[in-house]
């Protein structure tokens, strides 16, 4: 799955690339076999394409695969060894624990000056001073070099670790800006040391804020709904998702929130990103999506609904109620439940709706209304007036009188405007449903 936090970081990068006429580089870091499957790669590409980041733009480059650059990773490690900036080490974790007496203490530099010719390769970190990051979001961040252990860059079996591969790949691909989540900040001083040791100027760093849930806990795939694909499949519009994600940690500087990409992109500045945690408010996202749905031209809305309509359903019937649906749904997956009663032989009754709508006296309302429907003019106003008259006979206002009728017609207590729905359903089918409900009540 593609995490919404990754999508937000991607959009920040995308905005930067489009502003500057640069390239957004998609690299699949596939050297970890356990986390590398073709379908997962396709999922990343598909999710990015959904939010508008794809090869249709001249600002997009890739995808590249980290595994294709293994030779360059090995050559970089060899250079570091040759220049005395790295060394071989045969220590195990247990060896370090036995020497230090702590399983939490970092590597103690035991093999630094032994001149070994085999084993893992460790980078020789500076003993003194500080490594300074000039971060566009967080400002100046200092890391005491004494706190940076001699970290492993190549395993004992000769395979380069991600931290080295990542740096070398960025050099190969001429990466100028690295915009990523703040969780990676702790790795950045090590990466900057590698850039400098390999004689290349480090990129511009920008670590964007962590995204949290309503309890201010970091969004977790085990606890929270975080997969971009799940929102897509639920019927969120890409343009609404893009708009909302861009506002997680950044704002255009005025009170506007609903804003298309074409207007947000030129305004975006990494220096304006707030380093504080950003709250992912699904209710607000849902509201955004409703706004975007209502703003769609009707024909476009009808087309967007297609994945949620059964192939057997008459599209001309759906087109008649589409304007009513468009004003009432917040996500496209809600379309189905709003219109299925028009296409089913009988509405699907759930017990809770039936119990709520069919209170004592419901049978009299249904019988009286059925009698009126046999001859009433078939338009929403006449259908409404008839039910008002039936309700008045029984001392009920329209709101109370229409409750059993709505359940009988649609199977639900809420939905599209009732009388427009009855008009589209047709006289005979509406009468059949009222009589079926009466039979269930008897």
């Amino acid at each position: 799955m593609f995490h919404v936090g990754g999508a937000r970081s991607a959009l920040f990068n995308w905005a930067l690339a489009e502003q500057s006429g640069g390239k957004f580089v998609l690299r699949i870091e596939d050297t970890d076999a356990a986390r590398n499957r073709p379908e997962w790669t396709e999922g990343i590409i598909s999710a990015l394409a959904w939010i508008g980041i794809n090869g249709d733009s001249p600002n997009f480059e890739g995808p590249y695969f980290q595994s294709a650059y293994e030779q360059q990773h090995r050559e970089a490690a060899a250079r570091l060894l040759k220049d005395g900036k790295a060394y071989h080490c045969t220590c195990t974790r247990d060896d370090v624990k036995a020497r230090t007496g702590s399983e939490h203490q970092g590597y103690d530099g035991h093999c630094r000056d032994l001149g070994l010719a085999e084993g893992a390769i460790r980078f020789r970190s500076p003993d003194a001073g500080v490594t300074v990051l000039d971060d566009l979001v967080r400002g100046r961040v200092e890391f005491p070099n004494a706190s940076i252990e001699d970290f492993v860059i190549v395993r004992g079996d000769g395979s380069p670790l991600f931290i080295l591969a990542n740096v070398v790949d960025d050099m190969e691909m001429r990466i100028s800006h690295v915009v990523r989540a703040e969780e990676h900040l702790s790795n950045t001083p090590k990466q900057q040391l590698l850039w400098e040791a390999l004689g290349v100027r480090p990129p511009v760093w920008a670590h964007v804020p962590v995204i949290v849930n309503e309890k201010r806990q970091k969004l977790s795939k085990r606890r929270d709904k975080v997969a971009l694909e799940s929102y897509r499949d639920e019927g969120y519009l890409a343009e609404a998702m893009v708009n909302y994600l861009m506002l997680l940690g950044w704002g255009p500087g005025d009170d506007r929130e609903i804003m298309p990409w074409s207007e947000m992109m030129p305004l975006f500045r990494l220096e304006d990103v707030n380093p504080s945690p950003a709250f992912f408010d699904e209710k607000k996202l849902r509201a955004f999506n409703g706004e975007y749905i209502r703003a769609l031209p009707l024909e476009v809305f009808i087309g967007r609904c297609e994945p949620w309509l059964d192939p057997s359903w008459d599209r001309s019937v759906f087109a008649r109620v589409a304007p009513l649906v468009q004003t009432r749904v917040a996500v496209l997956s809600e379309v189905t439940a709003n219109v299925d009663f028009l296409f089913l032989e009988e509405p699907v009754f759930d017990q809770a709706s039936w119990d709520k709508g069919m209170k004592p006296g419901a049978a009299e309302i249904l019988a009286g209304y059925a009698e009126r429907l046999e001859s009433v003019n078939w338009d929403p106003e006449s259908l409404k007036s008839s039910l008002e008259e039936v309700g008045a006979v029984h001392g009920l206002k329209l709101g109370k009188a229409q409750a059993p009728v709505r359940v009988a017609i649609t199977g639900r207590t809420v939905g599209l405007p009732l009388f427009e729905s009855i008009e589209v359903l047709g006289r005979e089918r509406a009468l059949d449903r009222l009589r079926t409900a009466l039979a269930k009540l008897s």
Side-chain angles (χ1 to χ4, degrees):
M1 66 175 187
F2 194 61
H3 195 290
V4 292
R8 190 272 307 267
S9 296
L11 286 168
F12 283 4
N13 278 276
W14 187 237
L16 192 64
E18 289 209 324
Q19 280 180 1
S20 61
K23 301 287 187 181
F24 174 102
V25 180
L26 173 60
R27 184 171 68 234
I28 305 299
E29 292 171 335
D30 60 340
T31 52
D32 185 345
R35 302 173 65 186
N36 176 31
R37 293 185 187 175
E39 62 268 28
W40 294 347
T41 297
E42 287 305 313
I44 292 169
I45 295 171
S46 171
L48 283 172
W50 181 62
I51 56 173
I53 303 175
N54 55 59
D56 292 339
S57 168
N59 301 109
F60 182 90
E61 194 171 296
Y64 299 112
F65 291 86
Q66 190 166 68
S67 56
Y69 293 84
E70 185 175 355
Q71 184 58 37
Q72 287 92 326
H73 306 156
R74 293 177 181 274
E75 290 172 358
R79 280 179 53 199
L80 292 170
L81 279 172
K82 180 182 177 183
D83 294 344
K85 296 175 181 177
Y87 59 92
H88 285 288
C89 172
T90 56
C91 296
T92 65
R93 183 69 242 172
D94 288 339
D95 293 336
V96 176
K97 180 181 176 182
R99 287 195 301 267
T100 63
S102 170
E103 61 183 49
H104 305 294
Q105 186 169 326
Y107 182 65
D108 58 357
H110 178 77
C111 294
R112 253 191 174 201
D113 300 312
L114 296 184
L116 301 177
E118 60 181 11
I121 300 176
R122 290 183 179 272
F123 180 77
R124 189 185 296 269
S125 297
D127 294 321
V130 294
T131 294
V132 177
L133 308 181
D134 291 314
D135 192 288
L136 286 183
V137 174
R138 298 174 185 280
R140 180 184 173 94
V141 186
E142 296 185 358
F143 293 86
N145 288 331
S147 68
I148 304 173
E149 68 175 358
D150 289 358
F151 52 93
V152 177
I153 57 174
V154 177
R155 300 179 183 87
D157 64 4
S159 58
L161 264 68
F162 170 79
I163 195 162
L164 175 65
N166 184 258
V167 168
V168 174
D169 290 346
D170 281 355
M171 291 177 181
E172 290 286 331
M173 297 171 193
R174 307 182 312 282
I175 300 301
S176 61
H177 290 67
V178 172
V179 184
R180 59 189 182 187
E182 71 172 273
E183 295 97 312
H184 299 287
L185 183 61
S186 60
N187 288 326
T188 308
K190 297 178 181 178
Q191 291 179 310
Q192 181 154 307
L193 288 171
L194 284 170
W195 277 83
E196 292 168 349
L198 290 167
V200 182
R201 183 179 180 180
V204 175
W205 307 108
H207 290 85
V208 299
V210 66
I211 299 178
V212 297
N213 62 20
E214 60 185 2
K215 295 180 179 178
R216 298 305 187 265
Q217 301 167 317
K218 178 185 169 185
L219 281 189
S220 165
K221 63 183 180 182
R222 294 177 179 84
R223 180 185 56 238
D224 303 303
K225 181 179 170 184
V226 300
L228 189 68
E229 299 95 323
S230 68
Y231 289 99
R232 177 189 63 192
D233 296 344
E234 193 176 331
Y236 283 84
L237 302 184
E239 51 267 49
M241 179 61 77
V242 167
N243 189 161
Y244 182 70
L245 289 176
M246 284 294 291
L247 299 179
L248 293 179
W250 173 80
D254 55 27
D255 293 332
R256 283 186 66 191
E257 289 192 313
I258 303 296
M259 185 181 293
W261 173 258
S262 61
E263 295 180 24
M264 285 190 295
M265 182 272 290
L267 299 174
F268 177 75
R269 292 177 73 253
L270 282 167
E271 293 87 346
D272 295 335
V273 174
N274 189 330
S276 300
F279 170 36
F280 189 94
D281 184 348
E282 192 173 344
K283 291 180 181 177
K284 187 170 183 177
L285 169 61
R286 182 180 170 86
F288 268 48
N289 203 64
E291 291 277 350
Y292 271 89
I293 284 175
R294 289 186 285 279
L296 292 173
L298 180 60
E299 289 305 313
V300 174
F301 171 72
I302 291 172
R304 296 283 188 99
C305 291
E306 188 62 36
W308 285 272
L309 304 179
D310 188 280
S312 67
W313 293 355
D314 188 331
R315 296 307 190 263
S316 65
V317 172
F318 176 71
R320 291 178 64 188
V321 296
L324 305 175
V325 178
Q326 187 173 10
T327 63
R328 283 164 174 78
V329 298
V331 292
L332 293 178
S333 58
E334 295 173 346
V335 169
T336 308
N338 272 275
V339 303
D340 60 358
F341 73 94
L342 291 168
F343 307 102
L344 301 173
E345 285 297 318
E346 295 183 3
V348 178
F349 295 108
D350 70 87
Q351 195 61 47
S353 294
W354 181 268
D355 293 343
K356 185 176 180 180
M358 300 304 179
K359 303 288 187 185
E364 291 78 3
I365 296 294
L366 295 177
Y369 195 46
E371 183 178 344
R372 299 290 183 113
L373 291 194
E374 291 180 357
S375 58
V376 69
N377 290 336
W378 207 254
D379 61 79
E381 191 56 42
S382 299
L383 294 168
K384 177 182 177 182
S385 298
S386 294
L387 186 54
E388 285 177 325
E389 293 166 4
V390 172
V393 170
H394 298 279
L396 297 176
K397 292 185 177 181
L398 181 62
K400 294 288 186 182
Q402 71 178 4
V405 175
R406 179 179 289 281
V407 172
I409 295 292
T410 71
R412 298 179 175 89
T413 56
V414 295
L416 302 184
L418 177 60
F419 305 106
E420 287 81 352
S421 298
I422 295 173
E423 180 190 32
V424 174
L425 187 65
R427 193 185 305 269
E428 292 306 315
R429 294 181 73 200
L431 284 168
D432 284 346
R433 292 190 180 187
L434 293 177
R435 291 164 181 158
T436 298
L438 272 169
K440 287 171 64 74
L441 286 171
S442 61

